[in-house]
Amino acid sequence: PARPTPGLSDSLFVPDEIINPAPRFAALVKNIKRRRGSKVDIRVPRYRDEKTPDAARPVGCPPPATLEEALEMDEVYMDAMAFGMGCCCLQVTFQARDLSESRHLYDQLAVLGPIMLALTAATPIARGVLLDTDVRWDIIAQSVDDRTPAERGVAAGGGEGGGGHAAMAGHGTKRLHKSRYETISTYICNTVIGQDGQDSSTRAALKDLGRNDLEVPMDEEAYRTLTQAGVDEVLAQHIAHLFVRDPLVIYRERVELDDERETDHFENIQSTNWQTVRWKPPPAKSDSHIGWRTEFRSMEVQLTDFENAAFTVFVVLVSRVILYFNLNFYMPISCVDCNMRRAAERDAVTQGKFCFRQSPISGASSGSPPRRPPPPP
Protein backbone atom coordinates (compact mmCIF):
# COMPACT_ATOMS: atom_id res chain seq x y z
CA PRO A 1 0.00 0.00 0.00
CA ALA A 2 1.02 3.60 -0.53
CA ARG A 3 2.64 5.23 2.47
CA PRO A 4 1.12 8.38 4.01
CA THR A 5 2.59 11.67 2.91
CA PRO A 6 3.53 14.48 5.36
CA GLY A 7 0.55 16.58 6.39
CA LEU A 8 -1.52 17.44 9.45
CA SER A 9 -0.73 14.32 11.48
CA ASP A 10 2.61 13.31 9.91
CA SER A 11 1.70 9.72 10.73
CA LEU A 12 3.83 6.80 9.61
CA PHE A 13 0.70 4.66 9.29
CA VAL A 14 -2.46 6.60 8.41
CA PRO A 15 -3.03 9.33 5.80
CA ASP A 16 -4.79 12.61 6.49
CA GLU A 17 -7.53 11.54 4.08
CA ILE A 18 -9.11 9.43 6.83
CA ILE A 19 -9.70 12.49 9.04
CA ASN A 20 -13.40 13.35 9.27
CA PRO A 21 -14.09 16.24 6.86
CA ALA A 22 -15.86 18.27 9.56
CA PRO A 23 -13.49 21.18 10.43
CA ARG A 24 -13.43 20.25 14.13
CA PHE A 25 -11.41 17.07 13.61
CA ALA A 26 -8.65 18.48 11.42
CA ALA A 27 -8.33 21.34 13.92
CA LEU A 28 -8.02 18.86 16.81
CA VAL A 29 -5.24 16.96 15.03
CA LYS A 30 -3.37 20.14 14.18
CA ASN A 31 -3.72 21.87 17.55
CA ILE A 32 -2.91 18.84 19.72
CA LYS A 33 0.29 18.33 17.74
CA ARG A 34 1.16 22.03 17.80
CA ARG A 35 0.55 22.49 21.51
CA ARG A 36 2.54 19.46 22.67
CA GLY A 37 5.37 20.31 20.27
CA SER A 38 5.36 16.93 18.51
CA LYS A 39 2.99 14.36 17.10
CA VAL A 40 1.31 12.07 19.62
CA ASP A 41 3.31 9.11 20.91
CA ILE A 42 1.01 6.15 21.67
CA ARG A 43 2.56 3.00 23.13
CA VAL A 44 0.71 -0.11 24.25
CA PRO A 45 2.22 -3.39 25.48
CA ARG A 46 2.38 -6.14 22.88
CA TYR A 47 0.95 -9.57 23.65
CA ARG A 48 3.85 -12.01 23.73
CA ASP A 49 3.82 -15.78 23.48
CA GLU A 50 6.47 -18.35 22.62
CA LYS A 51 6.20 -17.50 18.91
CA THR A 52 6.68 -13.75 19.37
CA PRO A 53 10.14 -12.71 18.09
CA ASP A 54 12.39 -10.51 20.19
CA ALA A 55 12.13 -6.82 19.34
CA ALA A 56 15.12 -4.86 18.07
CA ARG A 57 13.98 -1.67 19.84
CA PRO A 58 13.18 -2.07 23.55
CA VAL A 59 10.43 -0.58 25.70
CA GLY A 60 11.02 3.13 26.25
CA CYS A 61 13.11 3.68 23.12
CA PRO A 62 12.96 7.07 21.35
CA PRO A 63 10.09 7.64 18.92
CA PRO A 64 10.75 6.04 15.54
CA ALA A 65 11.63 8.16 12.53
CA THR A 66 10.65 5.56 9.96
CA LEU A 67 8.02 2.88 9.49
CA GLU A 68 10.71 0.23 9.68
CA GLU A 69 11.87 1.48 13.09
CA ALA A 70 8.26 1.53 14.33
CA LEU A 71 7.72 -2.09 13.34
CA GLU A 72 10.88 -3.12 15.20
CA MET A 73 9.63 -1.78 18.55
CA ASP A 74 8.76 -4.03 21.47
CA GLU A 75 5.70 -1.89 22.20
CA VAL A 76 2.87 -1.43 19.73
CA TYR A 77 3.52 2.12 18.54
CA MET A 78 0.90 4.47 17.05
CA ASP A 79 1.31 8.11 16.13
CA ALA A 80 -2.04 9.66 15.19
CA MET A 81 -5.22 10.80 16.88
CA ALA A 82 -7.14 8.44 14.58
CA PHE A 83 -5.89 5.41 16.51
CA GLY A 84 -7.59 6.68 19.67
CA MET A 85 -10.59 8.68 18.53
CA GLY A 86 -11.27 5.96 15.98
CA CYS A 87 -12.22 3.69 18.88
CA CYS A 88 -15.89 3.22 19.71
CA CYS A 89 -17.47 3.34 23.15
CA LEU A 90 -20.79 3.12 24.96
CA GLN A 91 -21.85 6.20 26.91
CA VAL A 92 -25.04 6.80 28.90
CA THR A 93 -26.34 10.17 30.12
CA PHE A 94 -28.74 10.49 33.08
CA GLN A 95 -30.87 13.51 33.85
CA ALA A 96 -30.93 14.05 37.59
CA ARG A 97 -33.73 15.44 39.72
CA ASP A 98 -31.67 18.45 40.81
CA LEU A 99 -28.15 19.79 41.19
CA SER A 100 -27.40 17.84 44.36
CA GLU A 101 -28.49 14.52 42.84
CA SER A 102 -26.40 15.05 39.72
CA ARG A 103 -23.29 15.64 41.83
CA HIS A 104 -23.96 12.61 44.01
CA LEU A 105 -24.50 10.43 40.95
CA TYR A 106 -21.28 11.75 39.37
CA ASP A 107 -19.20 10.70 42.36
CA GLN A 108 -20.71 7.24 42.74
CA LEU A 109 -20.53 6.40 39.03
CA ALA A 110 -16.91 7.57 38.92
CA VAL A 111 -16.02 4.75 41.33
CA LEU A 112 -17.77 2.22 39.07
CA GLY A 113 -16.05 3.51 35.91
CA PRO A 114 -13.01 1.19 36.05
CA ILE A 115 -15.16 -1.83 36.99
CA MET A 116 -17.43 -1.31 34.00
CA LEU A 117 -14.45 -0.74 31.72
CA ALA A 118 -13.06 -4.15 32.71
CA LEU A 119 -16.49 -5.77 32.43
CA THR A 120 -17.02 -4.47 28.87
CA ALA A 121 -13.39 -4.88 27.67
CA ALA A 122 -13.43 -5.29 23.87
CA THR A 123 -10.18 -3.90 22.44
CA PRO A 124 -7.56 -6.67 22.28
CA ILE A 125 -6.09 -5.51 18.95
CA ALA A 126 -4.63 -2.20 17.72
CA ARG A 127 -2.76 -1.43 14.51
CA GLY A 128 -3.36 -5.06 13.52
CA VAL A 129 -1.36 -6.41 16.48
CA LEU A 130 -2.50 -8.41 19.51
CA LEU A 131 -2.14 -6.36 22.71
CA ASP A 132 -1.33 -7.29 26.28
CA THR A 133 -4.42 -5.31 27.27
CA ASP A 134 -8.02 -5.47 26.12
CA VAL A 135 -9.40 -1.96 26.65
CA ARG A 136 -9.19 1.23 24.60
CA TRP A 137 -8.67 3.76 27.38
CA ASP A 138 -4.90 4.25 27.38
CA ILE A 139 -4.80 4.37 23.59
CA ILE A 140 -7.25 7.28 23.49
CA ALA A 141 -5.60 9.04 26.44
CA GLN A 142 -2.29 9.11 24.59
CA SER A 143 -3.87 9.97 21.23
CA VAL A 144 -5.22 13.34 22.46
CA ASP A 145 -2.48 14.21 24.96
CA ASP A 146 -1.67 17.83 24.17
CA ARG A 147 0.49 18.48 27.24
CA THR A 148 3.85 20.14 26.70
CA PRO A 149 7.02 18.31 27.84
CA ALA A 150 7.04 20.46 30.99
CA GLU A 151 3.41 19.64 31.76
CA ARG A 152 4.13 15.93 31.26
CA GLY A 153 7.12 16.18 33.61
CA VAL A 154 9.71 15.16 31.01
CA ALA A 155 11.33 18.62 30.73
CA ALA A 156 11.84 21.37 33.27
CA GLY A 157 10.21 24.77 32.83
CA GLY A 158 9.38 26.55 29.61
CA GLY A 159 11.48 27.71 26.75
CA GLU A 160 14.04 25.34 25.27
CA GLY A 161 12.82 21.78 25.65
CA GLY A 162 9.89 22.59 27.92
CA GLY A 163 7.38 23.72 25.33
CA GLY A 164 5.96 26.55 27.44
CA HIS A 165 4.38 29.71 26.02
CA ALA A 166 2.93 32.78 27.73
CA ALA A 167 -0.37 32.42 25.83
CA MET A 168 -0.99 28.89 27.08
CA ALA A 169 -2.98 27.94 30.15
CA GLY A 170 -0.49 27.87 33.02
CA HIS A 171 2.10 29.16 30.53
CA GLY A 172 2.42 25.56 29.40
CA THR A 173 4.69 24.79 32.35
CA LYS A 174 2.29 23.82 35.18
CA ARG A 175 2.65 20.12 35.98
CA LEU A 176 -0.42 18.21 34.76
CA HIS A 177 -0.37 14.57 35.84
CA LYS A 178 -3.10 13.39 33.48
CA SER A 179 -3.99 13.65 29.82
CA ARG A 180 -7.20 15.42 28.78
CA TYR A 181 -8.70 11.92 28.43
CA GLU A 182 -8.42 10.30 31.84
CA THR A 183 -10.07 9.39 35.11
CA ILE A 184 -11.55 12.14 37.25
CA SER A 185 -9.21 13.94 39.66
CA THR A 186 -11.73 15.13 42.24
CA TYR A 187 -15.16 14.27 43.61
CA ILE A 188 -17.70 17.08 43.27
CA CYS A 189 -20.46 16.35 45.80
CA ASN A 190 -20.31 18.84 48.67
CA THR A 191 -22.30 16.82 51.18
CA VAL A 192 -21.14 13.89 53.26
CA ILE A 193 -23.45 11.36 51.62
CA GLY A 194 -24.94 13.36 48.76
CA GLN A 195 -28.27 14.68 50.01
CA ASP A 196 -29.33 18.26 50.62
CA GLY A 197 -29.80 19.17 54.26
CA GLN A 198 -26.59 17.55 55.47
CA ASP A 199 -23.50 19.42 56.51
CA SER A 200 -21.65 20.84 53.53
CA SER A 201 -18.07 19.76 53.05
CA THR A 202 -15.27 22.07 52.02
CA ARG A 203 -12.31 21.01 49.91
CA ALA A 204 -10.30 20.54 53.10
CA ALA A 205 -13.05 18.44 54.70
CA LEU A 206 -13.21 16.07 51.72
CA LYS A 207 -9.45 15.72 51.87
CA ASP A 208 -9.68 14.94 55.59
CA LEU A 209 -12.25 12.26 54.81
CA GLY A 210 -9.64 10.64 52.57
CA ARG A 211 -11.61 11.15 49.36
CA ASN A 212 -9.84 13.82 47.33
CA ASP A 213 -6.31 12.66 48.10
CA LEU A 214 -4.65 13.69 44.83
CA GLU A 215 -3.08 16.98 43.84
CA VAL A 216 -5.63 18.80 41.66
CA PRO A 217 -4.14 21.53 39.44
CA MET A 218 -6.51 24.47 39.04
CA ASP A 219 -6.81 27.73 37.19
CA GLU A 220 -6.64 30.02 40.22
CA GLU A 221 -8.37 32.94 38.50
CA ALA A 222 -11.30 30.72 37.50
CA TYR A 223 -11.50 29.38 41.06
CA ARG A 224 -11.62 32.88 42.56
CA THR A 225 -14.27 34.00 40.06
CA LEU A 226 -16.48 31.03 40.91
CA THR A 227 -16.17 31.23 44.69
CA GLN A 228 -16.73 34.99 44.69
CA ALA A 229 -19.93 34.38 42.69
CA GLY A 230 -21.18 31.98 45.37
CA VAL A 231 -20.19 28.60 43.92
CA ASP A 232 -19.11 26.26 46.71
CA GLU A 233 -15.43 25.32 47.01
CA VAL A 234 -15.84 21.70 45.91
CA LEU A 235 -17.64 22.46 42.65
CA ALA A 236 -15.45 25.50 41.99
CA GLN A 237 -12.38 23.27 42.24
CA HIS A 238 -13.84 20.88 39.65
CA ILE A 239 -14.63 23.65 37.15
CA ALA A 240 -11.29 25.40 37.73
CA HIS A 241 -9.55 22.09 37.15
CA LEU A 242 -11.13 21.87 33.68
CA PHE A 243 -9.67 25.29 32.86
CA VAL A 244 -6.05 24.21 33.25
CA ARG A 245 -6.49 23.07 29.64
CA ASP A 246 -6.46 25.28 26.57
CA PRO A 247 -9.36 25.24 24.10
CA LEU A 248 -8.45 23.05 21.13
CA VAL A 249 -11.18 24.06 18.67
CA ILE A 250 -13.24 27.21 18.29
CA TYR A 251 -15.34 28.42 15.39
CA ARG A 252 -14.76 31.98 14.26
CA GLU A 253 -18.45 32.87 14.45
CA ARG A 254 -18.67 31.58 18.06
CA VAL A 255 -15.90 33.70 19.59
CA GLU A 256 -17.94 36.76 20.59
CA LEU A 257 -20.96 35.53 22.55
CA ASP A 258 -23.26 36.68 25.33
CA ASP A 259 -22.22 34.39 28.17
CA GLU A 260 -25.41 35.28 30.04
CA ARG A 261 -27.43 33.52 27.34
CA GLU A 262 -25.07 30.93 25.83
CA THR A 263 -22.66 28.39 27.32
CA ASP A 264 -20.51 27.68 24.25
CA HIS A 265 -17.33 29.03 25.86
CA PHE A 266 -17.72 26.70 28.83
CA GLU A 267 -18.72 23.75 26.66
CA ASN A 268 -15.66 24.35 24.49
CA ILE A 269 -13.44 23.44 27.44
CA GLN A 270 -15.86 20.94 29.00
CA SER A 271 -16.28 18.90 25.81
CA THR A 272 -12.52 18.42 25.37
CA ASN A 273 -11.96 17.21 28.92
CA TRP A 274 -12.78 13.56 28.31
CA GLN A 275 -13.12 11.73 31.64
CA THR A 276 -14.78 8.56 32.92
CA VAL A 277 -17.81 10.60 33.98
CA ARG A 278 -18.90 14.09 32.96
CA TRP A 279 -21.04 16.51 34.96
CA LYS A 280 -23.28 18.47 32.58
CA PRO A 281 -25.07 21.66 33.68
CA PRO A 282 -28.22 22.72 31.82
CA PRO A 283 -27.89 25.23 28.97
CA ALA A 284 -28.10 28.88 29.97
CA LYS A 285 -31.64 30.32 29.84
CA SER A 286 -32.87 27.37 27.81
CA ASP A 287 -36.57 26.89 27.11
CA SER A 288 -36.02 23.14 26.90
CA HIS A 289 -36.45 20.68 29.75
CA ILE A 290 -32.74 19.84 29.86
CA GLY A 291 -31.65 19.73 33.49
CA TRP A 292 -28.62 18.71 35.52
CA ARG A 293 -27.09 15.61 33.95
CA THR A 294 -24.33 13.07 34.58
CA GLU A 295 -22.74 11.12 31.75
CA PHE A 296 -21.15 7.70 32.28
CA ARG A 297 -18.35 7.29 29.75
CA SER A 298 -16.04 4.38 30.49
CA MET A 299 -17.78 1.40 28.83
CA GLU A 300 -16.56 -0.24 25.62
CA VAL A 301 -18.93 -0.80 22.73
CA GLN A 302 -20.00 -4.41 22.19
CA LEU A 303 -20.41 -6.49 19.03
CA THR A 304 -24.19 -6.77 19.14
CA ASP A 305 -27.12 -4.43 19.76
CA PHE A 306 -28.35 -6.79 22.46
CA GLU A 307 -25.12 -6.52 24.45
CA ASN A 308 -25.04 -2.74 24.13
CA ALA A 309 -28.67 -2.51 25.23
CA ALA A 310 -27.99 -4.88 28.14
CA PHE A 311 -25.10 -2.80 29.47
CA THR A 312 -27.06 0.42 28.98
CA VAL A 313 -30.03 -0.92 30.92
CA PHE A 314 -27.72 -2.33 33.59
CA VAL A 315 -26.07 1.04 34.22
CA VAL A 316 -29.48 2.74 34.31
CA LEU A 317 -30.64 0.24 36.93
CA VAL A 318 -27.44 0.73 38.94
CA SER A 319 -28.02 4.49 38.93
CA ARG A 320 -31.56 3.99 40.25
CA VAL A 321 -30.29 1.68 43.00
CA ILE A 322 -27.61 4.22 43.97
CA LEU A 323 -30.21 6.95 44.34
CA TYR A 324 -32.97 4.88 45.95
CA PHE A 325 -30.72 3.39 48.62
CA ASN A 326 -28.43 6.43 48.78
CA LEU A 327 -25.41 4.17 48.33
CA ASN A 328 -21.97 5.34 49.34
CA PHE A 329 -19.16 3.96 47.14
CA TYR A 330 -16.64 6.62 48.16
CA MET A 331 -12.99 5.64 48.27
CA PRO A 332 -9.84 7.74 47.82
CA ILE A 333 -9.44 9.01 44.27
CA SER A 334 -6.02 7.33 44.24
CA CYS A 335 -7.82 3.98 44.64
CA VAL A 336 -10.05 4.81 41.65
CA ASP A 337 -6.91 5.49 39.62
CA CYS A 338 -5.43 2.21 40.86
CA ASN A 339 -8.58 0.43 39.69
CA MET A 340 -8.26 2.06 36.29
CA ARG A 341 -4.74 0.71 35.90
CA ARG A 342 -5.99 -2.74 36.93
CA ALA A 343 -8.84 -2.51 34.41
CA ALA A 344 -6.30 -2.00 31.63
CA GLU A 345 -4.61 -5.32 32.37
CA ARG A 346 -5.49 -8.20 30.09
CA ASP A 347 -8.47 -10.25 31.27
CA ALA A 348 -8.90 -7.98 34.29
CA VAL A 349 -12.57 -8.90 34.63
CA THR A 350 -11.69 -12.47 35.67
CA GLN A 351 -8.10 -12.15 36.88
CA GLY A 352 -7.91 -8.67 38.40
CA LYS A 353 -8.43 -7.51 41.98
CA PHE A 354 -9.97 -4.09 42.54
CA CYS A 355 -10.30 -1.68 45.43
CA PHE A 356 -13.87 -1.39 46.69
CA ARG A 357 -15.61 -0.08 49.75
CA GLN A 358 -16.44 -2.74 52.34
CA SER A 359 -19.93 -1.36 52.96
CA PRO A 360 -21.82 0.85 50.48
CA ILE A 361 -24.66 1.49 52.93
CA SER A 362 -24.83 5.18 53.73
CA GLY A 363 -25.30 4.61 57.42
CA ALA A 364 -21.99 2.76 57.67
CA SER A 365 -19.03 4.53 59.16
CA SER A 366 -17.40 6.89 56.68
CA GLY A 367 -14.09 5.69 58.02
CA SER A 368 -14.55 2.20 56.56
CA PRO A 369 -11.72 2.13 54.02
CA PRO A 370 -11.68 0.18 50.80
CA ARG A 371 -9.58 -2.92 50.72
CA ARG A 372 -6.55 -2.25 48.57
CA PRO A 373 -5.52 -5.03 46.21
CA PRO A 374 -2.10 -6.62 46.66
CA PRO A 375 0.71 -5.18 44.51
CA PRO A 376 1.19 -6.85 41.12
CA PRO A 377 3.81 -9.61 40.99
Side-chain angles (χ1 to χ4, degrees):
R3 295 192 177 185
T5 56
L8 285 176
S9 62
D10 287 336
S11 173
L12 299 173
F13 305 99
V14 296
D16 286 349
E17 285 78 7
I18 72 165
I19 298 173
N20 189 302
R24 170 183 172 89
F25 295 96
L28 281 170
V29 172
K30 177 182 177 181
N31 292 336
I32 288 171
K33 176 183 169 187
R34 184 179 181 185
R35 192 184 188 283
R36 68 176 275 130
S38 63
K39 63 181 180 180
V40 294
D41 185 349
I42 309 166
R43 305 187 187 209
V44 188
R46 182 188 302 268
Y47 176 76
R48 307 190 69 84
D49 61 17
E50 60 183 16
K51 301 295 184 180
T52 306
D54 292 333
R57 307 188 75 222
V59 172
C61 66
T66 66
L67 178 61
E68 289 72 24
E69 288 183 356
L71 297 178
E72 292 174 348
M73 293 175 61
D74 185 279
E75 301 156 299
V76 179
Y77 170 78
M78 294 162 276
D79 63 352
M81 178 179 160
F83 286 108
M85 286 304 190
C87 294
C88 297
C89 59
L90 180 63
Q91 299 170 350
V92 185
T93 299
F94 307 95
Q95 179 153 307
R97 179 173 50 191
D98 52 31
L99 170 60
S100 177
E101 185 176 278
S102 70
R103 293 168 70 171
H104 177 52
L105 198 56
Y106 175 99
D107 286 4
Q108 307 309 312
L109 289 177
V111 176
L112 297 180
I115 310 298
M116 294 305 299
L117 176 64
L119 191 61
T120 58
T123 314
I125 299 172
R127 214 203 69 207
V129 180
L130 281 174
L131 307 176
D132 200 25
T133 178
D134 47 21
V135 298
R136 78 196 187 285
W137 198 268
D138 288 344
I139 300 174
I140 308 181
Q142 296 175 79
S143 77
V144 294
D145 190 356
D146 71 334
R147 292 175 298 166
T148 66
E151 290 170 336
R152 298 196 304 271
V154 298
E160 188 67 27
H165 191 284
M168 293 180 179
H171 294 172
T173 59
K174 178 182 287 188
R175 184 71 172 93
L176 303 178
H177 295 278
K178 297 182 178 181
S179 165
R180 301 178 81 112
Y181 196 106
E182 258 293 359
T183 54
I184 68 167
S185 295
T186 176
Y187 294 118
I188 68 171
C189 193
N190 67 330
T191 54
V192 175
I193 303 298
Q195 296 293 311
D196 287 329
Q198 297 176 338
D199 294 333
S200 295
S201 298
T202 62
R203 289 168 54 200
L206 288 183
K207 190 170 183 178
D208 290 341
L209 284 171
R211 295 180 188 174
N212 289 340
D213 62 335
L214 296 182
E215 177 186 352
V216 182
M218 294 190 302
D219 182 288
E220 297 296 340
E221 181 180 356
Y223 180 77
R224 286 194 299 272
T225 299
L226 290 161
T227 53
Q228 289 171 5
V231 177
D232 63 82
E233 291 183 6
V234 177
L235 187 57
Q237 181 187 41
H238 166 69
I239 300 298
H241 174 56
L242 300 180
F243 278 82
V244 299
R245 314 288 179 177
D246 281 311
L248 289 176
V249 181
I250 188 165
Y251 294 97
R252 184 178 293 108
E253 63 273 16
R254 306 301 293 171
V255 174
E256 299 296 335
L257 299 174
D258 181 359
D259 289 327
E260 294 293 326
R261 303 188 63 84
E262 300 186 75
T263 56
D264 285 39
H265 290 156
F266 169 71
E267 294 297 343
N268 193 318
I269 295 292
Q270 160 100 324
S271 66
T272 53
N273 274 270
W274 300 281
Q275 297 172 333
T276 45
V277 285
R278 178 178 286 164
W279 180 72
K280 305 174 78 168
K285 298 185 182 300
S286 172
D287 294 330
S288 72
H289 297 291
I290 298 175
W292 302 93
R293 294 151 294 152
T294 298
E295 182 181 25
F296 188 64
R297 301 170 48 82
S298 69
M299 293 188 292
E300 305 240 312
V301 74
Q302 305 300 296
L303 290 176
T304 68
D305 291 343
F306 176 84
E307 291 170 295
N308 288 316
F311 279 119
T312 300
V313 171
F314 175 74
V315 174
V316 171
L317 293 175
V318 167
S319 73
R320 299 305 96 185
V321 170
I322 289 171
L323 296 175
Y324 185 83
F325 291 101
N326 195 25
L327 297 184
N328 178 2
F329 293 146
Y330 280 120
M331 64 175 70
I333 287 283
S334 59
C335 288
V336 179
D337 282 358
C338 174
N339 281 351
M340 203 65 177
R341 292 190 294 271
R342 297 292 173 116
E345 296 174 1
R346 180 167 49 88
D347 206 16
V349 69
T350 60
Q351 302 299 318
K353 293 186 177 181
F354 295 87
C355 309
F356 208 76
R357 191 179 180 89
Q358 290 176 306
S359 174
I361 306 303
S362 296
S365 169
S366 61
S368 176
R371 298 185 64 180
R372 294 178 182 266

